[in-house]
Amino acid sequence: MAAAADLTHPAADRIELVDVLAALGHPVRLEIVRKLASGEEAFCGEVVPDLPRSSVTHHLKTLRESGVICQRPRGRKLYLALRRDDLDECFPGLLELVLACRSRPLDSECDEQPL
C-alpha cells in the first residue's frame, strides 16, 4: 500500500467532475464506492479482499486522487471513507444517481433499440 506521505487528497474545491466520472467508470472502483456508501470507514482488506495488491493500490489511488475517497493510515492498516459530503457539495445528486444505478455483468451486452 502507499506510504502515509503519498496519501494526498484534493481539496474539495479542486475536485473535478471529469476525474470523478473517470474514477467511477471502472466496475471495481464503482464496487468499492458502493461498499463505502454506508458512510462508515472501512479497512482496505474488508472492501477489496480478492484483488492482487497492485490492482488494489491502483484503484484506491485513482479514487483518492479524483476526490472520491479519503484514505487514512492507522498503524499497519489503511482505512477508507467515501467523501460523500464533498461530492454532494460539488455535484449535487451525482453520487446518489451513481449508487442507485444497477450494474450489469461485465460480459452482458447492451440492449440496443433499432433506429
Side-chain angles (χ1 to χ4, degrees):
M1 291 299 143
D6 296 336
L7 298 179
T8 57
H9 300 82
D13 63 346
R14 295 287 203 190
I15 298 174
E16 298 287 335
L17 180 60
V18 67
D19 297 330
V20 171
L21 293 176
L24 295 175
H26 191 282
V28 169
R29 293 191 290 265
L30 185 55
E31 187 59 31
I32 293 168
V33 169
R34 285 192 171 114
K35 289 180 179 179
L36 295 172
S38 70
E40 296 295 319
E41 195 174 56
F43 165 58
C44 177
E46 297 170 331
V47 177
V48 282
D50 299 328
L51 291 176
R53 190 174 183 147
S54 61
S55 294
V56 171
T57 301
H58 168 73
H59 290 304
L60 295 181
K61 179 180 178 185
T62 300
L63 288 168
R64 185 186 73 250
E65 290 180 348
S66 68
V68 175
I69 66 168
C70 62
Q71 293 177 283
R72 181 180 63 84
R74 185 168 153 203
R76 295 179 54 110
K77 292 186 176 184
L78 187 62
Y79 287 86
L80 314 172
L82 186 60
R83 292 181 65 179
R84 183 182 290 272
D85 291 342
D86 291 337
L87 292 170
D88 286 344
E89 183 179 320
C90 294
F91 316 109
L94 175 66
L95 193 55
E96 289 306 316
L97 179 64
V98 168
L99 293 172
C101 291
R102 67 178 180 83
S103 59
R104 271 193 301 262
L106 293 177
D107 61 349
S108 70
E109 294 189 26
C110 295
D111 296 328
E112 294 188 28
Q113 299 295 323
L115 298 176

